[in-house]
């Protein structure tokens, strides 16, 4: 009986973690669309993967905002913005990524 309870507790934790991930992904896509719909340009999976990759940079350079904005601008491109969206929008994209995918304490 104790083993079953522990198993159900683990399943509950996994389900809560999955629902958090789904919510975070949806929130990121919504935030990016609000900044500029061309950031996602109909490919939410690609935008989310870029956001996850950006989290690596956030962990690597947590205190270097200028570098992170530059990397965000290089990472988030689209057919209409092959060189990125500019530093102002890149800073907004970075804020959305930090808020939704890789929050820092």
């Amino acid at each position: 009986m104790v083993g079953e309870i522990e198993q159900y507790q683990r399943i509950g934790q996994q389900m809560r973690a999955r629902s958090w991930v789904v919510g975070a992904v949806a929130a990121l896509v919504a935030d990016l669309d609000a900044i500029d719909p061309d950031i996602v340009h109909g490919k939410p999976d690609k935008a989310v993967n870029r956001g996850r990759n950006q989290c690596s940079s956030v962990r690597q350079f947590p205190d270097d905002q200028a570098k992170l904005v530059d990397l965000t601008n290089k990472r988030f491109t689209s057919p209409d913005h092959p060189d990125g969206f500019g530093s102002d929008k890149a800073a907004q994209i970075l804020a959305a990524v930090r808020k939704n995918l890789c929050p820092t304490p």
Side-chain angles (χ1 to χ4, degrees):
M1 184 73 172
V2 171
E4 286 180 38
I5 292 171
E6 290 173 352
Q7 182 180 6
Y8 288 125
Q9 288 173 335
R10 279 193 299 276
I11 291 170
Q13 289 170 344
Q14 291 170 347
M15 290 174 67
R16 283 189 296 278
R18 285 187 189 128
S19 68
W20 177 87
V21 169
V22 169
V25 165
L28 175 64
V29 171
D31 285 353
L32 295 177
D33 273 336
I35 296 165
D36 187 323
D38 196 41
I39 296 168
V40 177
H41 62 275
K43 298 180 180 178
D45 291 343
K46 192 171 190 177
V48 171
N49 284 336
R50 288 176 177 176
R52 288 183 178 134
N53 290 336
Q54 188 63 27
C55 288
S56 300
S57 299
V58 168
R59 285 189 295 276
Q60 190 174 2
F61 308 104
D63 300 319
D64 193 342
Q65 180 72 6
K67 183 168 189 74
L68 289 171
V69 168
D70 181 57
L71 291 170
T72 302
N73 195 49
K74 290 176 181 172
R75 184 167 278 139
F76 284 83
T77 60
S78 75
D80 291 337
H81 296 88
D83 297 320
F85 290 84
S87 59
D88 288 342
K89 285 187 180 178
Q92 293 175 54
I93 294 167
L94 176 59
V97 168
R98 281 183 147 160
K99 178 178 110 182
N100 294 298
L101 292 184
C102 48
T104 53

